[in-house]
Amino acid sequence: MSERVAARMADIAPFHVMDILARARALEAQGRDIIHLEIGEPDFPTPAPIVEAGVAALRAGHTHYTGALGLPELRNAIAGFYAQRWNATINPARVIVTPGASGALLLTLGLLAGPGDEVLLADPGYPCNRHFARFCEARAVAIPVGADTAYQLSLDLIERHASPATRAVLIASPSNPTGTLIEQAELVRIHEWCAANGVALIVDEIYLALTYDGDERSAAVWDDVFVVNSFSKYFLMTGWRLGWLVAPTWALDGLERLAQNLYLAAPTPAQYAALAAFSAETLTLLEARKADLRSRRDFLLPALRGLGFELPVTPQGAFYLYADCRHHTRDSFQFAQGLLDAAGVAVTPGLDFGHHQPVHFVRFAYTQPLTRLAEAIVRIKRYLQA
Ligand SMILES: Cc1ncc(COP(=O)(O)O)c(C=O)c1O
């Protein structure tokens, strides 16, 4: 049997945080107490009304495929959420339910990008996007971004890196790993540039509903933008594997064909469960969880700054702090390993988010209760003093 894999596999990197997680689990097996700030998912369970709806769907026998674009009731409910929360009027026909935002990003890049095509995105950024581009035999142009643009793309950066091969610009706001927002005026300029140059604009809004300061503004107010979102983060449904895409009308036929062929449909019980995600009861609970996350940020951000980590831009959303640790180390990967081994605090090294200065950064995910974050700060302080 041949064990030869495709050439692209040389460029598909693993999640380095998994090494940290494996090491953390091994230490836990030895009886050590580890504070997990490395994983990008909320610690809260899925709200009970969603769980109940999922169980009821299973009991009612909703275990068959849905159409490739998703349950019509759910697509309607998502469109309704845009009207109510983000003041955007969307034809439900433009909403495609996907297996997570991951499915939505894969569909979009599969539709838009092929051999020789370029997709512009920010570095640091969510690592899967450049691998999705590679999977489509396209090229991700990772543009180094820093504090001066709040770790977001700007029109100036886009113009400097664009070429005749540029097919799409991808923006995530709030961003993973930095939690920072793109300025609305800048996004307006980028949108205009994309429209004028025949370049698709993809906006990943998976953390939009977790914006703590400033307005939640959805790019779905423009009907020519690919807007990606998910039930994973704000709705606390990571393991249900459900997200969505709001797409321009011209793209729907191609996206439907891709969805049919790539995965047939998003999980049916999860889709029925998600119908309960927009009820007043669930949204009240989710807003309380959001307030919890905000108070965690408000604790952890000044505490880390006080310990000499640099965070020049206040992260306004998501649940991440991307901290410059150059005062403490020359190698953030070694720093993360040392912090785990000596202090029992697990964080993600910058390596996972791109090639732009990863050795200077670690990501703290505030996905633990305040008491644990306080304990983490005590331990980190002790580690830095030792
Ligand atoms: C920016 C961003 N986009 C997309 C995803 C994929 O999320 P999911 O497939 O769980 O919806 C993540 C997950 O961490 C993310 O951080």
Side-chain angles (χ1 to χ4, degrees):
M1 195 182 74
S2 161
E3 293 187 1
R4 241 176 66 187
V5 300
R8 73 172 71 89
M9 290 312 297
D11 302 318
I12 311 277
F15 289 10
H16 298 287
V17 67
M18 288 304 158
D19 295 346
I20 297 283
L21 183 62
R23 205 165 164 131
R25 297 273 181 248
L27 291 172
E28 282 173 329
Q30 294 165 20
R32 290 273 306 277
D33 173 54
I34 306 298
I35 303 177
H36 289 277
L37 306 181
E38 79 278 43
I39 314 268
E41 68 176 327
D43 50 324
F44 309 116
T46 302
I50 300 177
V51 173
E52 292 311 320
V55 171
L58 289 169
R59 291 203 195 286
H62 292 310
T63 53
H64 301 277
Y65 297 132
T66 66
L69 299 184
L71 271 184
E73 303 92 295
L74 184 57
R75 299 168 70 199
N76 280 329
I78 292 168
F81 189 62
Y82 276 87
Q84 171 237 317
R85 186 158 184 136
W86 295 313
N87 212 12
T89 310
I90 287 162
N91 180 348
R94 292 178 47 226
V95 177
I96 303 179
V97 180
T98 55
S102 307
L105 288 162
L106 188 56
L107 283 189
T108 307
L109 292 174
L111 181 85
L112 299 173
D117 293 335
E118 292 180 351
V119 180
L120 309 190
L121 38 78
D123 181 348
Y126 180 59
C128 301
N129 290 323
R130 62 178 191 273
H131 300 142
F132 286 154
R134 180 66 184 89
F135 191 68
C136 300
E137 304 293 340
R139 197 167 84 85
V141 179
I143 303 178
V145 292
D148 55 329
T149 62
Y151 303 98
Q152 291 283 356
L153 294 182
S154 64
L155 179 57
D156 179 50
L157 286 169
I158 289 169
E159 282 182 324
R160 277 197 271 147
H161 289 84
S163 82
T166 305
R167 291 285 290 121
V169 170
L170 197 161
I171 284 166
S173 178
S175 135
N176 177 7
T178 65
T180 51
L181 297 182
I182 191 162
E183 245 183 65
Q184 182 62 19
E186 196 66 28
L187 188 59
V188 168
R189 279 192 284 274
I190 292 171
H191 174 238
E192 281 166 5
W193 181 90
C194 286
N197 289 277
V199 169
L201 178 58
I202 308 166
V203 183
D204 182 344
E205 299 186 344
I206 187 168
Y207 300 106
L208 178 64
L210 293 175
T211 302
Y212 310 116
D213 321 304
D215 292 341
E216 282 179 25
R217 300 241 210 155
S218 174
V221 293
W222 299 311
D223 59 13
D224 57 350
V225 176
F226 291 82
V227 177
V228 172
N229 210 317
S230 177
F231 288 98
S232 285
K233 313 287 175 162
Y234 172 73
F235 294 98
L236 310 175
M237 293 178 69
T238 43
W240 298 75
R241 307 310 306 129
L242 205 63
W244 71 84
L245 171 67
V246 182
T249 305
W250 62 263
L252 295 174
D253 167 62
L255 292 167
E256 181 167 18
R257 280 185 281 132
L258 271 179
Q260 288 167 345
N261 282 279
L262 287 178
Y263 53 78
L264 299 186
T268 302
Q271 294 192 59
Y272 278 94
L275 286 172
F278 304 109
S279 73
E281 184 191 1
T282 306
L283 290 173
T284 303
L285 203 146
L286 293 174
E287 286 301 302
R289 295 288 84 86
K290 176 176 173 175
D292 291 339
L293 288 171
R294 186 197 174 122
S295 30
R296 293 175 183 182
R297 182 205 59 174
D298 292 346
F299 166 77
L300 195 60
L301 178 62
L304 288 175
R305 281 174 172 158
L307 291 180
F309 292 93
E310 278 187 51
L311 289 130
V313 186
T314 293
Q316 293 169 282
F319 33 73
Y320 307 117
L321 301 178
Y322 197 56
D324 188 328
C325 54
R326 78 183 74 197
H327 291 319
H328 302 307
T329 182
R330 262 182 288 172
D331 178 351
S332 63
F333 194 77
Q334 269 178 19
F335 182 77
Q337 287 189 332
L339 196 61
L340 176 59
D341 288 346
V345 178
V347 300
T348 306
L351 199 57
D352 262 338
F353 306 105
H355 302 291
H356 179 52
Q357 305 193 326
V359 295
H360 292 318
F361 291 88
V362 289
R363 188 192 73 177
F364 294 81
Y366 39 97
T367 48
Q368 292 289 314
L370 269 177
T371 49
R372 295 289 278 168
L373 296 181
E375 169 66 16
I377 289 297
V378 170
R379 292 188 192 181
I380 296 167
K381 187 171 184 179
R382 217 183 291 137
Y383 176 70
L384 293 175
Q385 284 166 349

